[in-house]
């Protein structure tokens, strides 16, 4: 659990997440962040020991924000579960909402930039945190798919979960480097393949 921060520290983090998402770790300036937060750089150091400490706090915020978003998507999905019987919609809301989420959320833009291009000095911390988030996503998906397609065996659930994570990873890459029509085309193609496979599995069960 993260330690409770002061209002000033929260303000610094709110400024820093936008700055880091736009400039990355190496090109970011604590002086610029402090100025945008309405303080001197020396005052920033009274809240954070340095760039690494601030970056990791912002990264923890981004992980928590995305975990909450994932949870909300799958909770909404659970509310609609009675309308679905074959599992083809399991995990769909999270993927469908991803592009708008990326446009709206500096936390997600920062998170993906950091996960795919981590600072060399913080590679272990970033990798550990992001992998934990993916494990949580996998658990949400397995629970959702298992509820919607109860005939699937545990090995098949695990197999589809890996395929789902592959789709999410592909969409994340598209968000970072392309977006727009390319993202929609890739999403549609990969989701069709997953859906067709789940439909065949349901027929053979």
């Amino acid at each position: 659990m993260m330690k409770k921060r002061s209002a000033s520290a929260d303000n610094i983090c709110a400024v820093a997440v936008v700055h880091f998402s736009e400039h990355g770790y190496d090109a970011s300036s604590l002086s610029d962040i402090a100025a945008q937060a309405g303080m001197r750089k020396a005052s920033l150091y009274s809240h954070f020991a340095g760039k690494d400490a601030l970056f990791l706090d912002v990264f923890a915020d981004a992980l928590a924000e995305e975990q909450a978003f994932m949870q909300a998507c799958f909770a909404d999905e659970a509310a609609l579960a009675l309308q679905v019987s074959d599992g083809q919609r399991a995990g769909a809301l999270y993927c469908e909402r991803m592009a708008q989420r990326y446009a709206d959320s500096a936390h997600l833009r920062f998170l993906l930039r950091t996960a795919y291009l981590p600072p060399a000095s913080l590679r272990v911390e970033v990798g550990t945190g992001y992998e934990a988030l993916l494990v949580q996503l996998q658990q949400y998906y397995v629970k959702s798919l298992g509820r919607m397609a109860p005939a699937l065996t545990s090995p098949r659930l695990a197999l589809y979960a890996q395929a789902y994570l592959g789709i999410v990873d592909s969409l994340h890459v598209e968000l970072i480097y392309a977006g727009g029509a390319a993202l929609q085309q890739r999403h549609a193609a990969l989701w069709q393949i997953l859906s067709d496979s789940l439909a065949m599995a349901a027929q053979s069960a």
Side-chain angles (χ1 to χ4, degrees):
M1 182 179 295
M2 289 183 62
K3 64 181 181 297
K4 185 174 176 60
R5 292 190 307 235
S6 67
S8 292
D10 281 340
N11 181 49
I12 293 168
C13 288
V15 170
V17 69
V18 176
H19 192 80
F20 285 134
S21 72
E22 292 176 350
H23 301 286
Y25 176 88
D26 292 331
S28 290
S29 162
L30 289 186
S31 295
D32 289 346
I33 292 171
Q36 291 170 24
M39 64 180 64
R40 294 182 302 173
K41 185 177 179 180
S43 299
L44 186 151
Y45 278 112
S46 70
H47 299 284
F48 299 96
K51 185 190 260 190
D52 283 4
L54 175 57
F55 192 89
L56 289 176
D57 254 34
V58 173
F59 183 63
D61 287 350
L63 290 172
E65 289 279 341
E66 192 59 19
Q67 196 278 333
F69 177 71
M70 287 176 354
Q71 185 177 36
C73 289
F74 281 90
D76 289 347
E77 191 169 276
L80 301 172
L82 293 178
Q83 302 175 29
V84 183
S85 61
D86 58 9
Q88 293 176 46
R89 290 289 299 168
L93 287 182
Y94 178 66
C95 291
E96 289 168 359
R97 294 171 178 176
M98 194 182 296
Q100 190 61 51
R101 167 74 174 170
Y102 187 79
D104 294 342
S105 173
H107 282 97
L108 180 57
R109 295 193 298 274
F110 165 77
L111 178 63
L112 295 187
R113 178 169 187 158
T114 301
Y116 286 91
L117 297 167
S121 61
L122 301 175
R123 188 178 300 276
V124 172
E125 293 91 334
V126 168
T128 299
Y130 189 65
E131 284 300 317
L133 183 71
L134 293 182
V135 168
Q136 182 67 70
L137 178 59
Q138 182 176 7
Q139 291 171 351
Y140 283 137
Y141 178 76
V142 167
K143 182 177 180 180
S144 181
L145 182 59
R147 182 180 62 248
M148 295 184 186
L152 289 176
T153 63
S154 292
R156 296 296 289 180
L157 284 172
L159 180 67
Y160 283 120
Q162 289 301 313
Y164 179 74
L165 289 182
I167 291 174
V168 169
D169 181 69
S170 180
L171 297 182
H172 282 170
V173 171
E174 284 296 316
L175 283 171
I176 295 171
Y177 296 109
L183 172 71
Q184 298 304 320
Q185 291 171 2
R186 179 164 296 188
H187 182 191
L190 292 174
W191 201 264
Q192 186 64 57
I193 292 170
L194 179 65
S195 296
D196 289 349
S197 178
L198 282 166
M200 291 175 62
Q203 292 172 4
S204 61

